[in-house]
Amino acid sequence: MSQPSTSRQWRGVIREYADRLDVSEATPVVTLGEGGTPLIDAATLSARTGANVWIKFEGMNPTGSFKDRGMTMAVSKAVEHGAKVVICASTGNTSASAAAYATKAGITAAVLVPQGKIALGKLSQAIAHNAQLLQVEGNFDDCLDIARELDARYPVHLVNSVNNDRIEGQKTAAFEVVEVLGDAPDFHLVPLGNAGNYTAYHRGYREELARGATTRLPRMFGFQAEGSAPIVRGHVVKDPETIASAIRIGNPASWKLALAAHEDSNGYFGMFSDARILEAHRILSAEVGVFAEPASAIGVAGLLERSDAGEIPKGSTVVITVTGHGLKDPQWAVRQPDGSEVAPTVVPVDTDEIAGLLGLAAQEKRG
Ligand SMILES: *Cc1c(COP(=O)(O)O)cnc(C)c1O
């Protein structure tokens, strides 16, 4: 089912980058048009830091997170190999993405999520797309252990980021950044959960350098929440805790790969309290104009902290990946730093009163 040659519609990451992915004529392309997301110049963050700051807004993917880039590859390859059921463990976004791509492929998604620990927006996506959804009485790491065991013992196909097809699909985000900037940035900042995305960007940039499309390899900076920071602390965290549910992971699947990417890129790992994450979340929505889920804002906290530490030279180019959309987990936007909720002011149907409340009363046009 090819598109008319006059179509200018983005074709999804597999068709756009077919020559740089492990696909062939035999691969049935399962796509929802993922990728091609905007790289947004963040003028207010540039002004704060003196760097040229860009936001790669992955919330613009079909299911609202970067997971779609990897899922189009993982589900296409699964179908190529005859899979009828894909399985994953998820903090939310992987399940939403697996459910949508399995639906597109006409197969079943079975998803394991930690009970009570995933955002309602993500849970509703998995349910809407008809996934076989099970809430496990454990955390994400327990869910991943079980998913791996099911994959080993039963005819199901694992689509977590331990599946290399996921990382391969996700590396295309680096290709897109290079296309827009004309070179790699000096720094690339991402949240760290399983560390698959950190690994994927590094791989994408490495490939760009190898084929001569860029002159440098960005320093890869990754950030975790303090209550869920195994990579920063250097040991598994048994009961990870953070409001940033997408990165509430105590034993990252791509830990070793991330350490290698860190070493190769002269990278950096840091961590922030939930309060700092929410502060960054607010800056992103109220000063930049990008609405993200909490985990997705941590790169902004990283930018400000590293800049204050004098580690981001003025004039350098910085890309921050904002991994998921704010509509997935909107409760944090209406919550004030003191914990109270913002309640919109209720007004009568009265133009003069509303003009007064908007501070417009003295500026009425004469004429
Ligand atoms: C999955 C996810 C992450 C973490 O990505 P990893 O590849 O697991 O490190 C961060 N933010 C969001 C919104 C996610 O969905």
Side-chain angles (χ1 to χ4, degrees):
M1 270 178 285
S2 61
Q3 293 178 20
S5 59
T6 52
S7 173
R8 297 182 63 82
Q9 171 160 277
W10 176 263
R11 298 168 299 166
V13 299
I14 294 180
R15 290 200 178 96
E16 295 290 339
Y17 298 111
D19 54 333
R20 298 160 77 182
L21 293 167
D22 176 26
V23 291
S24 70
E25 291 291 312
T27 311
V29 178
V30 180
T31 180
L32 292 166
E34 63 295 318
T37 57
L39 190 69
I40 302 166
D41 67 303
T44 50
L45 295 177
S46 298
R48 270 177 183 252
T49 59
N52 301 312
V53 183
W54 300 82
I55 301 289
K56 182 65 171 162
F57 188 24
E58 290 290 279
M60 295 298 284
N61 277 293
T63 77
S65 85
F66 75 84
K67 298 298 197 299
D68 294 343
R69 293 180 184 275
M71 204 55 73
T72 184
M73 269 298 284
V75 172
S76 296
K77 297 296 283 185
V79 172
E80 182 176 347
H81 295 124
K84 296 278 181 278
V85 181
V86 291
I87 189 161
C88 65
S90 178
T91 59
N93 283 331
T94 299
S95 61
S97 188
Y101 283 81
T103 296
K104 184 77 197 303
I107 64 174
T108 299
V111 306
L112 305 178
V113 300
Q115 186 184 23
K117 296 291 188 188
I118 89 167
L120 180 61
K122 305 172 188 180
L123 191 69
S124 62
Q125 286 180 287
I127 293 168
H129 295 305
N130 242 346
Q132 290 187 321
L133 177 91
L134 296 173
Q135 299 204 62
V136 177
E137 294 171 328
N139 60 30
F140 169 83
D141 304 290
D142 299 320
C143 294
L144 182 57
D145 287 345
I146 295 170
R148 291 176 110 148
E149 211 175 312
L150 291 171
D151 177 53
R153 287 172 48 189
Y154 299 93
V156 294
H157 193 95
L158 187 68
V159 293
N160 277 107
S161 58
V162 292
N163 176 335
N164 187 54
D165 296 327
R166 284 273 310 277
I167 309 273
E168 282 291 298
Q170 286 170 207
K171 77 183 179 186
T172 60
F175 300 166
E176 292 175 19
V177 170
V178 168
E179 267 170 44
V180 175
L181 297 180
D183 201 341
D186 298 300
F187 299 88
H188 195 117
L189 280 54
V190 295
L192 284 177
N194 271 310
N197 211 32
Y198 182 92
T199 303
Y201 271 101
H202 173 260
R203 186 183 295 178
Y205 285 126
R206 255 278 161 231
E207 290 184 11
E208 289 289 56
L209 189 64
R211 74 186 187 104
T214 57
T215 63
R216 57 180 170 244
L217 193 65
R219 294 186 62 191
M220 292 296 310
F221 284 17
F223 300 97
Q224 303 191 296
E226 276 177 8
S228 177
I231 295 179
V232 177
R233 297 184 191 279
H235 59 79
V236 170
V237 173
K238 269 256 165 290
D239 294 301
E241 242 342 305
T242 169
I243 55 104
S245 57
I247 54 173
R248 190 193 280 124
I249 291 170
N251 188 10
S254 294
W255 196 331
K256 286 210 182 89
L257 292 172
L259 291 181
H262 175 274
E263 162 124 10
D264 186 52
S265 76
N266 187 21
Y268 177 82
F269 296 135
M271 61 182 172
F272 294 104
S273 66
D274 283 359
R276 288 286 290 276
I277 293 170
L278 287 175
E279 184 185 77
H281 179 259
R282 184 157 291 256
I283 289 169
L284 200 48
S285 49
E287 295 183 28
V288 182
V290 170
F291 191 30
E293 61 173 287
S296 304
I298 202 168
V300 172
L303 168 74
L304 299 177
E305 189 271 332
R306 288 288 83 196
S307 172
D308 283 348
E311 294 292 326
I312 310 250
K314 307 254 179 268
S316 46
T317 301
V318 180
V319 174
I320 303 173
T321 296
V322 168
T323 45
H325 205 286
L327 293 173
K328 289 190 171 262
D329 197 3
Q331 59 169 317
W332 305 103
V334 294
R335 190 167 303 187
Q336 298 281 69
D338 67 5
S340 66
E341 298 229 327
V342 180
T345 306
V346 178
V347 295
V349 185
D350 183 325
T351 305
D352 289 341
E353 185 163 339
I354 291 172
L357 283 165
L358 293 175
L360 296 171
Q363 304 169 49
E364 188 165 3
K365 295 177 206 158
R366 306 285 160 203

